[in-house]
Amino acid sequence: MSKLRVAVLGAKGRIGSEAVKAVRAADDMELVAALGRGDDLKTLVESGAQVAVELTTPDSVMENLEFCVTHGIHAVVGTTGWTEDRLAQLNEWLAASPETGVLIAPNFSIGAVLTMKFAEAAAPYFESVEVVELHHPKKVDAPSGTAARTAQMIAAARAKAGSPAMPDATATALDGARGADVDGIPVHSVRLRGLLAHQEVLLGGEGETLTIRHDSLHHSSFMPGILLGSRKVVTTPGLTFGLEHFLDLNG
Ligand SMILES: NC(=O)C1=CN([C@@H]2O[C@H](COP(=O)(O)OP(=O)(O)OC[C@H]3O[C@@H](n4cnc5c(N)ncnc54)[C@H](OP(=O)(O)O)[C@@H]3O)[C@@H](O)[C@H]2O)C=CC1
Ligand SMILES: O=C(O)C1=N[C@H](C(=O)O)C[C@H](O)C1
């Protein structure tokens, strides 16, 4: 059986360098290109890449994806910074290249995906929900893509259940004291030397709290998700948002 031809964009970065190692170590994959900033995207075509694993920066990801999609190269994207406008643009490119698949995964680790699903399931049963994400201080964006997605899923679950507004008597506050508002859910970002990628979802009801916590302690935590995404995206045209769609979570 021929091996899946995979390229990594952002190959010298914290997660990209780990992805290079993981693809090299996968028996069913061949690493055909490992590109850094300034490298020529034509290398993707020349190397015959079937899948590009995009792990760069929010300022680079759109240009890279435009190239991949218009050249029929499937993409597995971990880079953050997704807005409605960006997703609409990506969908336009995909509409013109209907056989191409793109997976955007706010988080590739199974524990983080489960945290999001557990939080979504629990949210309607509690009056209050807040998200705290904690990361290494070199992270360029806040809140994390994972926290933003978690808050969106919580908000949607609460809206579907008809949950009332969360109790909060704050009348005065310093700017930022209540965190960022993501679809009505407070999201707090901590940047601390020594950390990698962590998240807590705090839920509170009358006389009880529930805390769902996930810790990525090494970038290896993201690799099974990247490899799974690469295998599945080649037979999944269009945009898939969230690794959970490639997992059998009921099974
Ligand atoms: N979904 C997930 O599970 C995870 C997602 N991430 C996300 O992945 C992204 C990268 O994170 P991290 O590795 O920590 O960041 P780094 O800054 O360590 O790595 C990014 C790398 O991409 C390079 N780069 C920038 N632009 C381009 C380009 N046009 N082509 C090729 N390479 C480019 C950078 O080069 P230079 O240094 O020269 O700018 C750098 O080497 C972030 O958005 C982060 O949030 C991270 C971990 C897990
Ligand atoms: O920059 C990181 O490190 C991470 N970024 C992603 C995010 O913003 O959610 C995933 C994970 O939290 C690590």
Side-chain angles (χ1 to χ4, degrees), residues 92-107:
E92 250 181 56
W93 295 329
L94 281 166
S97 183
E99 286 174 11
T100 307
V102 174
L103 166 69
I104 299 174
N107 202 304

Side-chain angles (χ1 to χ4, degrees), residues 80 106-107 135-136 139 141 144-146 197 222:
T80 46
N107 202 304
H135 279 81
H136 59 88
K139 183 164 178 56
D141 56 331
S144 70
T146 307
F222 305 114

Side-chain angles (χ1 to χ4, degrees), residues 23-152:
V23 171
R24 277 207 178 107
D27 290 340
D28 59 341
M29 294 183 190
E30 182 185 354
L31 181 76
V32 295
L35 304 188
R37 193 189 279 276
D39 288 342
D40 193 340
L41 288 172
K42 282 187 198 142
T43 307
L44 296 176
V45 177
E46 288 158 7
S47 66
Q50 294 168 277
V51 178
V53 178
E54 219 291 348
L55 301 167
T56 64
T57 50
D59 65 329
S60 295
V61 63
M62 291 306 279
E63 185 186 341
N64 288 341
L65 286 183
E66 180 176 19
F67 184 92
C68 290
V69 173
T70 56
H71 288 82
I73 299 168
H74 309 285
V76 169
V77 184
T79 305
T80 46
W82 290 99
T83 59
E84 290 302 321
D85 285 353
R86 284 182 166 215
L87 291 171
Q89 175 64 79
L90 176 57
N91 273 319
E92 250 181 56
W93 295 329
L94 281 166
S97 183
E99 286 174 11
T100 307
V102 174
L103 166 69
I104 299 174
N107 202 304
F108 287 111
S109 85
I110 182 70
V113 172
L114 289 173
T115 298
M116 290 186 247
K117 296 300 286 180
F118 294 159
E120 180 182 50
Y125 298 100
F126 291 85
E127 284 180 66
S128 310
V129 192
E130 307 216 0
V131 178
V132 185
E133 57 93 341
L134 312 91
H135 279 81
H136 59 88
K138 290 199 169 165
K139 183 164 178 56
V140 292
D141 56 331
S144 70
T146 307
R149 181 69 185 142
T150 306
Q152 287 164 355

